[in-house]
Amino acid sequence: MDPSKSKTINRRNFLGLSALGLTSFTILPSWRMPNGVRIPPSDRVVMGFIGLGRQGLGDYGNFTKSAGIQVAAGADVDSLKRERFKRRVENWQKSAQVSPRCDVYESYEEILDRKDIDAVSIATPDHWHAIHTIHASQAGKDVYVQKPLAYTIQEGIKMVRTIRDNKSVLQVGSQQRSSPEFQRAIALVRSGAIGHIETIYAAVGEPPKPFDLPEQPVPASLNWNLWLGPLSNPKVHYHPDLAPPISLQPEENEKIWGAWRWYRETGNGYTSDWGAHMFDIAQAAIGMDGIGPIEYIPKGYKGTAHNTMKYANGIVMTEQDFREEGGKGIRFNGTKGWIKVTRGAIECSDPSLVTKPAAADPKAPAPHMQNFIDAIRTRGNTIAPVEAGCSTNTLCCLVNIAIELQRPVKWDPVTTSFGDDKEAAAHRLNHYDYRRPYSL
């Protein structure tokens, strides 16, 4: 792929080109939006999917609920997962009276080379997010990328610059931002309903542990070298927990989520896996999207009870249980009361704030995937834009850096730097040297 050529394509023409790019269409129906507006075939959003494992299939399923999309291609390093995806997409598109054709590739570049594809959905391991997103944006594609935005701090910063330089639309897969209970909590905090926020409890879980999986033979269906991509740590070898296998005859899907996220050498643990959700909501509620804390103190340092994050405005966020019964969620503590929120539930010290119906909001967000599709058409911002994803990813990385260094770490979110802290700046979660021939 020649990114310099791809960038010359006028992005506004993509939706028109997409109607011409798939010549096998026999039925081109209009699509009806939830508000009753019909979308003509020429205004379809044609998508490609990069990463076809458990998360990628889940994202695909949610995108099928969005009006006016066509799935043209998928890419994965496992041939069995490519075939599974192709079967599912073609069956769905037949039922939707759309041309069923869905091409699959081992190399994601082949998706980016196609001018009939408007947007990509990325659900690969975190160490691939930056390369996939940056190359997609340079190729003129809009991007839906799973959370956390990146594996390292510098990757996230580079992704922000690239997305904005290329005027791409990006949605981070932090879908809680589109959920009613979290929207309600954010609105209440922003309105001052519980007064000035003093502390926040965010329960996300444990940091990553050292890689300790025994090496096992690589399945014939998997290109393990391509799965590794830019990862340069020689300790990382194949184990089925990292890339859970599937079968097609008989069909048997993944039994676990990819365990790469639980190890320092391949992921950022629950700190990022759930922090990209709960820390993200906390930042949105207190107006810190694109900014973040200025100091990170690890649990155990001079008696510190919890991993602690301090904001310049005096708010302190700690990683700890947000309610007695545990679980993942957030508690906002204000001068006039508190709010607890988790998936599917919200509580408040003043029950009337959450028991009475919320006022109708004409600007209330659409479902997360639909919000992305709508933004492609309007060229506006999504509810989880790249800057928000970057600041939350930076926060998660900094928590883990402080934990591993076993001391406080200070960060300037304006200059995006550690000041004179050379040890923190040299940490792999700030930046690491990619394995050749990959580069950021």
Side-chain angles (χ1 to χ4, degrees):
M1 182 187 72
D2 185 347
S4 64
K5 292 182 181 179
S6 297
K7 287 168 70 175
T8 64
I9 300 170
N10 186 327
R11 184 61 184 78
R12 291 191 179 95
N13 293 332
F14 263 38
L15 295 179
L17 285 171
S18 68
L20 302 174
L22 299 177
T23 57
S24 64
F25 281 8
T26 56
I27 300 175
L28 295 175
S30 295
W31 295 79
R32 184 183 293 275
M33 294 288 285
N35 60 7
V37 175
R38 286 192 177 275
I39 300 170
S42 60
D43 200 23
R44 285 188 325 275
V45 174
V46 181
M47 295 190 67
F49 285 73
I50 302 172
L52 309 179
R54 187 174 180 177
Q55 184 64 59
L57 281 186
D59 289 346
Y60 155 72
N62 285 321
F63 270 113
T64 64
K65 301 171 187 176
S66 301
I69 74 156
Q70 168 78 22
V71 180
D76 197 274
V77 297
D78 190 312
S79 62
L80 292 179
K81 293 176 182 178
R82 294 197 295 271
E83 179 59 26
R84 178 181 63 177
F85 183 76
K86 178 181 179 67
R87 293 179 185 181
R88 293 196 184 185
V89 172
E90 292 186 346
N91 285 336
W92 168 68
Q93 296 192 148
K94 284 179 183 177
S95 69
Q97 294 185 310
V98 177
S99 171
R101 178 178 172 178
C102 177
D103 300 318
V104 289
Y105 309 101
E106 182 178 76
S107 170
Y108 74 94
E109 287 97 338
E110 294 194 65
I111 287 181
L112 302 188
D113 281 340
R114 289 181 53 163
K115 294 180 175 62
D116 60 333
I117 291 178
D118 307 305
V120 295
S121 175
I122 298 168
T124 49
D126 297 350
H127 66 273
W128 266 111
H129 285 187
I131 290 177
H132 287 156
T133 297
I134 288 170
H135 287 175
S137 178
Q138 290 172 339
K141 315 300 184 190
D142 295 319
V143 179
Y144 183 96
V145 58
Q146 261 304 324
K147 59 79 196 169
L149 182 71
Y151 178 44
T152 70
I153 293 172
Q154 294 305 317
E155 286 175 333
I157 292 170
K158 177 67 174 177
M159 291 161 82
V160 172
R161 292 172 182 162
T162 303
I163 289 295
R164 294 311 177 191
D165 285 350
N166 289 287
K167 297 180 173 58
S168 305
V169 171
L170 183 141
Q171 175 88 297
V172 183
S174 298
Q175 76 275 9
Q176 289 183 172
R177 287 193 174 224
S178 299
S179 298
E181 66 275 16
F182 289 100
Q183 278 291 310
R184 190 77 173 273
I186 290 170
L188 288 170
V189 169
R190 288 179 176 176
S191 71
I194 59 170
H196 173 70
I197 302 300
E198 297 180 319
T199 60
I200 303 171
Y201 304 157
V204 305
E206 296 298 313
K209 58 185 178 181
F211 186 74
D212 61 359
L213 294 173
E215 186 170 7
Q216 294 194 19
V218 179
S221 66
L222 175 65
N223 185 334
W224 175 245
N225 186 60
L226 196 53
W227 187 96
L228 286 171
L231 280 184
S232 58
N233 195 310
K235 294 180 181 179
V236 180
H237 48 244
Y238 174 76
H239 185 281
D241 285 3
L242 295 178
I246 67 166
S247 64
L248 296 178
Q249 293 179 342
E251 182 170 313
E252 186 174 333
N253 297 319
E254 298 91 338
K255 295 180 179 178
I256 62 170
W257 294 103
W260 48 264
R261 67 199 70 201
W262 312 134
Y263 300 100
R264 290 180 179 179
E265 293 79 1
T266 54
N268 271 311
Y270 282 101
T271 308
S272 277
D273 193 55
W274 277 93
H277 288 306
M278 300 307 174
F279 292 148
D280 182 68
I281 294 297
Q283 296 233 122
I286 62 174
M288 287 292 169
D289 275 346
I291 309 175
I294 60 172
E295 186 174 10
Y296 299 76
I297 305 171
K299 178 181 178 181
Y301 178 79
K302 294 186 177 180
T304 301
H306 308 283
N307 293 318
T308 300
M309 293 139 272
K310 295 183 176 181
Y311 290 87
N313 62 5
I315 295 175
V316 175
M317 180 161 63
T318 50
E319 195 289 308
Q320 66 179 91
D321 287 342
F322 79 109
R323 60 183 182 185
E324 291 182 0
E325 57 266 42
K328 306 294 192 297
I330 313 165
R331 173 174 168 143
F332 297 95
N333 302 301
T335 53
K336 297 180 181 178
W338 52 263
I339 294 170
K340 300 177 187 178
V341 61
T342 188
R343 290 187 178 179
I346 182 170
E347 303 174 55
C348 186
S349 52
D350 179 355
S352 68
L353 292 175
V354 294
T355 54
K356 64 183 179 182
D361 182 2
K363 296 181 180 180
H368 208 59
M369 272 63 175
Q370 187 66 60
N371 176 262
F372 173 61
I373 300 300
D374 293 345
I376 290 174
R377 292 192 171 99
T378 65
R379 309 313 299 165
N381 250 345
T382 60
I383 196 170
V386 65
E387 290 85 0
C390 180
S391 62
T392 299
N393 179 68
T394 298
L395 186 160
C396 295
C397 289
L398 287 165
V399 172
N400 282 337
I401 291 174
I403 291 171
E404 292 184 27
L405 295 181
Q406 299 180 15
R407 62 168 175 81
V409 170
K410 293 187 177 181
W411 173 257
D412 188 334
V414 177
T415 62
T416 61
S417 68
F418 292 93
D420 59 0
D421 189 342
K422 295 181 180 180
E423 183 181 30
H427 196 280
R428 74 178 191 289
L429 293 182
N430 184 40
H431 174 67
Y432 71 98
D433 292 330
Y434 282 5
R435 187 170 66 119
R436 293 181 180 179
Y438 301 95
S439 62
L440 185 57

